[in-house]
Amino acid sequence: MAITIKDIARESGVNISTVSRSLNGNYGVHRNTRERVLAVAHRLNYRPNRVARGLATGRSNTFGLVVSDIRNPFFAEVARGAEDAAYAVGCDLVLCNSDMDANKQMRYMSSLLEKCVDGILMNSVAALDRSQQELLSESGIPVVLLNRTGEDRAFSSVSADNFQGGAIAGEYLAKLGHRSVAHLTGPKRHGTLSDRAGGFLKGLDGSNSGIAAVMIYSEQTMKGGYDMARELIRSHRDVTAIFAANDAIAFGVLRALLEAKVRIPDDISLIGFDNVALSEVVHPPLTTIHQPKYEIGQAAIEMLVKQSKPGVLKEIEHRVMDVELVQRESCRAA
Amino acid sequence: MAITIKDIARESGVNISTVSRSLNGNYGVHRNTRERVLAVAHRLNYRPNRVARGLATGRSNTFGLVVSDIRNPFFAEVARGAEDAAYAVGCDLVLCNSDMDANKQMRYMSSLLEKCVDGILMNSVAALDRSQQELLSESGIPVVLLNRTGEDRAFSSVSADNFQGGAIAGEYLAKLGHRSVAHLTGPKRHGTLSDRAGGFLKGLDGSNSGIAAVMIYSEQTMKGGYDMARELIRSHRDVTAIFAANDAIAFGVLRALLEAKVRIPDDISLIGFDNVALSEVVHPPLTTIHQPKYEIGQAAIEMLVKQSKPGVLKEIEHRVMDVELVQRESCRAA
DNA sequence: CTGAAAGCGCTAACAG
DNA sequence: CTGTTAGCGCTTTCAG
């Protein structure tokens, strides 16, 4: 049987509420009493029961983290930032993998609410549907959405400045003198990716040189990148630069071009987005747009912490983080 | 205010204990009563409070997962397997990153115990020290160690068959006709890595051809691999094959050899260990020893689930998972 | 089959 | 400053 405040109360000859007070805040309790109590607690190797405390206070000091798949390096990085931020304030994180499956996501949300988490950080399947929105609003629990700026205005969000990132990529390629470029990306209507595409076009256009951009849509994976690149070199032999909507796509492109004996950057320049760890490992090291993944996770938890403070009226907040160009070796002047 | 069994009891004109019984499917309640109660619960959109239940039952339906860093693809994969297994039995996982720091690890263990988790899965910093062992044993909570077979016989463990994996690598290289090989690995005294090294020597030796193996020790990271490879090609020009103790090291080797214009596999063959996702993406695709990461996480949680069942006397269990050779393009006959 | 009642371990008024 | 007393929401004897 674990030892409880009751034991330490008996042992130190005070009431359990005095023990509780001594253990927690510095409210009115005599120095000597507190020290005695603390000593006993230490001697008995007391370990508070956080479940009981949670039931009594209504706060669990736990946040839920719902990502599509923790194996995705992007989310692993976000998760690490989130976990560190939670650890810093004495909270912990329960990990959920939704696989972008609306049902699973719903089940996880229920489960998290039942556990009385103090907040939820998630990259939702898509804009939340009505039942999910209701579930969350009614619960009154703070939520921060990942990569969902703009939509779901009912909830806070944090994401990178995807539009700006796309624009930087476009400007960079234009400045290097590329006049025939391609953008390889995921599904056409995908918030994050659409922003990158829009920014890219805007960036290219900034040079006022009437650059043509061929857009190819597929899966936002390495396989998708591989397929799109093969299609591209078959159908558009004049393209001299490619902007891949994320690094995974870029890796697929790398592979396809390598197989086709198209040299990077000599024949075609390539720029990615994300700056995942591997991007500096591949050959040639990938020039890409850095997105502050760790900081995104961190910021999200900080928002949750702030919003979950009792007495704080939670106003929704949209935070967008800066991105930046990381020049490596996959791009050169046309 | 969330609705509780009290509300649904009042609403359906029965006692809360009947509600509890109906909800939990425990027998001893009339069909009609149960159905009526369930209907009301549904109508009121009842959501059980798992914290309260946890306090009453002493079980939290939560497991702790302590890894050094979730950004390490190996652990991300293990975590995914673990999370899926937990999800399957209605439990969830709290994620902890220890950074291989004994203090952090200790803090996390305390925190998990305070939360009354039903079990802990962890890759410990090293053999657990006395205070940690005591803490865990006294808590009586089941623990499964990752990659720690053999040591800490006081706790269960699950890991890949590292010795066997090393042996396979050794046999493979020997069979390809390599007579001068090198093993690039991490710290000399590292359980997992030592097993791989030992297996490797054994595998080479099986060919009875007196193969010489130069051993180089450094960090088990890409950087370590890079450094070791540079040292190797400077000091041992005769080596024709390298066994990297893990894929990260192998990636570093890849990079170093590429820079030094040493061709793989034409000049030097390279084999890794782990079979992380990237290993088939790099150039050339890496031949490596596959280790069932997902299954390891899964198996570990299953062991925890079994051991945490009330009434089951927990006997420690050591499970070692099979590994296998994945032939790709980084090795060729000498 | 169902109700009453006693907690699980801790916090938080409210008295003194 | 400290003790008393209610609960938090749910499970679980024990009666009936």
Side-chain angles (χ1 to χ4, degrees), chain B residues 82-150:
Chain B
E83 209 270 307
D84 284 357
Y87 181 76
V89 295
C91 293
D92 39 36
L93 224 55
V94 348
L95 174 67
C96 309
N97 296 101
S98 72
D99 283 326
M100 286 303 200
D101 170 342
N103 287 328
K104 260 184 124 173
Q105 175 172 295
M106 192 66 178
R107 249 190 75 177
Y108 273 123
M109 281 170 38
S110 293
S111 167
L112 291 173
L113 292 181
E114 291 174 9
K115 291 205 81 158
C116 303
V117 296
D118 298 333
I120 296 182
L121 168 52
M122 72 174 175
N123 92 300
S124 64
V125 169
L128 298 170
D129 67 31
R130 270 188 59 85
S131 63
Q132 303 196 134
Q133 290 217 27
E134 276 175 18
L135 181 61
L136 289 178
S137 324
E138 284 173 14
S139 73
I141 179 192
V143 173
V144 170
L145 263 22
L146 231 47
N147 294 336
R148 289 273 155 201
T149 321

Side-chain angles (χ1 to χ4, degrees), chain B residues 267-319:
Chain B
D267 300 324
I268 291 188
S269 287
L270 175 64
I271 181 169
F273 200 113
D274 275 355
N275 192 27
V276 298
L278 308 61
S279 61
E280 63 173 329
V281 183
V282 293
H283 184 72
L286 187 68
T287 290
T288 189
I289 304 295
H290 174 77
Q291 153 167 222
K293 302 163 281 293
Y294 182 94
E295 291 79 3
I296 285 177
Q298 209 173 20
I301 291 295
E302 281 161 8
M303 284 166 62
L304 247 21
V305 169
K306 195 173 53 181
Q307 291 187 25
S308 66
K309 283 234 174 65
V312 174
L313 68 165
K314 51 179 78 95
E315 45 187 286
I316 71 170
E317 176 184 356
H318 296 282
R319 179 128 179 234

